[in-house]
Every structure is written in C-alpha cells, then in structure tokens.
Amino acid sequence: GQQLNQSPQSMFIQEGEDVSMNCTSSSIFNTWLWYKQDPGEGPVLLIALYKAGELTSNGRLTAQFGITRKDSFLNISASIPSDVGIYFCAGTPRGAQKLVFGQGTRLTINP
Amino acid sequence: NAGVMQNPRHLVRRRGQEARLRCSPMKGHSHVYWYRQLPEEGLKFMVYLQKENIIDESGMPKERFSAEFPKEGPSILRIQQVVRGDSAAYFCASSPFEGTEAFFGQGTRLTVV
C-alpha cells in the first residue's frame, strides 16, 4: 500500500526533447519529492510538493502533486546532456513518517 | 551551511568485522533517515530517527544492524559481523521537520571482502 510505482524505468531521448515521468501509489501521500542521482553521488533534491494539485517549477523542471494525492509527475523541457542520470520520486505516506522511494527512471540522452 | 556529511566515503571490511557508518545532519535538522542502495537499484528505507529516538526501523534487518542518533554527535549505523551481502552504498538524509524535504549525503560505499 505504501509502495511507489515509478515509470518509465528508462528513457532514451534526443537532446532537446521533452521528458515526462510519473509515480503512482495505491495509498495517499502527504508529500511528494523528486530527486536526481548522478553516478557515485547522493540524490539531489529537485522539487518538493506539499499540497494536492500543487504545480511547481524549477527552471526547466515542472512537477505536480496529483489531485487524488496518489500520484505525481515530473516534466523536463528541452533536455540537455547534463540531464542524464537517474530520477527518483519519493513521498511520505499518510499515517507514516518514513520517506519511501520509487524504483527510479534512468534518463539517457543521445546528442 | 554545510550539507549532510557522511564518513567514511568508502569502507572495506572483512567478513565478520564490524562496520560503523557516520552521518552528521545539516545544522538545525533533527530528523535522520538511512537508506541502502545496491548497484542499478533504488533506495531502500532502513530506519528513521529523531534525536535520541528510533521512530521507524521497519526496513532494518532484525539482526546485526542497529542505528542511533544521540543527543550530541552524529547518527551511527552499525553493522556487526558483516557478510558479503552487506556490500552496498548506504545513504543518510536529514530534514528539519517530519515529512518535509530531506537532503542526502554523499553516501558510504561498504565493501565486504
């Protein structure tokens, strides 16, 4: 019930394309977070969402907290080579205090 | 304001030895999470602590693993009698309040030989 299903697992795109990934759960989440992880590094926080329906941007990144509180998406516009990496969604389930993570989306960009 | 500091970055232990992983949260953060990551996999929750209290340890193996976050000093993840299967990257994250954004350290890569 507190698992996060993240899709797609991997994406192969051309530089300049837009990217979209999402996370869903069968249970309600109070918080949604999106992270990016580069090889050998810790995850870096990209966007934090706290209210249902909230739409937040950070440069070329846009994320939304789903209205049902059971999903979130992350969009990246006009991808560039440094966008390569693994993107993770994370959230705090209602009634729990831990932060759970999705399985990750590996983004590869062809120049 | 320094970020989350983990040390050591790399740790090699022989089977049967103890591994102690340290995490100093960001200044003002009293909530600490520990995660384990295998190559090409996601982050698996292990334990969530507030100062001097373990809040949720549902992801931590019952044997050989323990965690603490004392009133003074860093949070410690301790693995006793390590086995090859314990080899992984262990990440710590801290947050100022429960259920808010968490910031990660660089991780400790444990190799058991």
Side-chain angles (χ1 to χ4, degrees), chain A residues 31 33 35 37 39-45 48 50 86 88 92 96-103 106, chain B residues 9 33 35 37 40-43 45 48 50 55-56 58 91 98-106 109:
Chain A
T31 307
L33 307 172
Y35 290 86
Q37 187 177 29
E41 302 293 328
V44 174
L45 181 65
Y50 296 105
I86 304 177
F88 290 99
T92 305
Q97 292 137 322
K98 63 187 179 185
L99 190 62
V100 298
F101 277 75
Q103 305 95 321
R106 180 180 296 276
Chain B
R9 288 291 306 272
Y33 305 83
Y35 292 83
Q37 187 177 38
E40 307 299 316
E41 293 191 9
L43 293 113
F45 169 80
Y48 165 46
Q50 292 178 32
I55 306 302
D56 186 334
S58 58
F91 289 97
E98 175 186 304
T100 59
E101 54 214 39
F103 298 89
F104 280 81
Q106 298 280 64
R109 278 139 191 90

Side-chain angles (χ1 to χ4, degrees), chain B:
Chain B
N1 187 11
V4 178
M5 303 299 291
Q6 287 189 251
N7 67 83
R9 288 291 306 272
H10 300 275
L11 182 62
V12 179
R13 283 287 177 266
R14 295 185 185 280
R15 281 178 294 171
Q17 290 185 322
E18 178 180 287
R20 291 171 70 89
L21 287 61
R22 293 175 185 76
C23 169
S24 295
M26 289 179 70
K27 186 177 180 181
H29 288 196
S30 57
H31 301 252
V32 165
Y33 305 83
W34 284 93
Y35 292 83
R36 171 190 161 107
Q37 187 177 38
L38 293 172
E40 307 299 316
E41 293 191 9
L43 293 113
K44 294 289 190 279
F45 169 80
M46 298 183 72
V47 61
Y48 165 46
L49 310 103
Q50 292 178 32
K51 278 289 187 182
E52 299 185 271
N53 292 305
I54 296 175
I55 306 302
D56 186 334
E57 56 182 347
S58 58
M60 202 152 68
K62 295 282 188 285
E63 297 179 354
R64 302 189 299 108
F65 285 73
S66 63
E68 63 177 15
F69 188 15
K71 188 176 178 181
E72 303 289 338
S75 175
I76 306 287
L77 179 67
R78 183 180 176 208
I79 311 173
Q80 296 178 290
Q81 299 173 336
V82 296
V83 301
R84 289 240 169 94
D86 296 332
S87 296
Y90 292 84
F91 289 97
C92 160
S94 75
S95 65
F97 305 106
E98 175 186 304
T100 59
E101 54 214 39
F103 298 89
F104 280 81
Q106 298 280 64
T108 293
R109 278 139 191 90
L110 173 65
T111 303
V112 180
V113 297

Side-chain angles (χ1 to χ4, degrees), chain A:
Chain A
Q2 296 181 347
Q3 301 298 315
L4 288 180
N5 298 308
Q6 186 171 348
S7 65
Q9 285 192 337
S10 58
M11 301 184 73
F12 298 85
I13 63 169
Q14 299 293 325
E15 184 178 347
E17 287 185 17
D18 296 344
V19 172
S20 184
M21 60 192 78
N22 69 83
C23 260
T24 61
S25 173
S26 58
S27 56
I28 287 175
F29 276 63
N30 288 335
T31 307
W32 286 96
L33 307 172
W34 285 92
Y35 290 86
K36 177 175 183 273
Q37 187 177 29
D38 292 325
E41 302 293 328
V44 174
L45 181 65
L46 300 173
I47 292 180
L49 302 158
Y50 296 105
K51 294 196 306 190
E54 181 181 355
L55 183 72
T56 297
S57 293
N58 178 8
R60 292 179 296 105
L61 277 59
T62 301
Q64 183 159 32
F65 192 137
I67 206 75
T68 64
R69 299 171 67 187
K70 294 182 180 180
D71 63 317
S72 176
F73 72 75
L74 174 70
N75 288 341
I76 305 172
S77 62
S79 58
I80 60 177
S82 62
D83 291 334
V84 166
I86 304 177
Y87 292 80
F88 290 99
C89 65
T92 305
R94 185 176 64 176
Q97 292 137 322
K98 63 187 179 185
L99 190 62
V100 298
F101 277 75
Q103 305 95 321
T105 295
R106 180 180 296 276
L107 179 63
T108 303
I109 298 176
N110 299 316

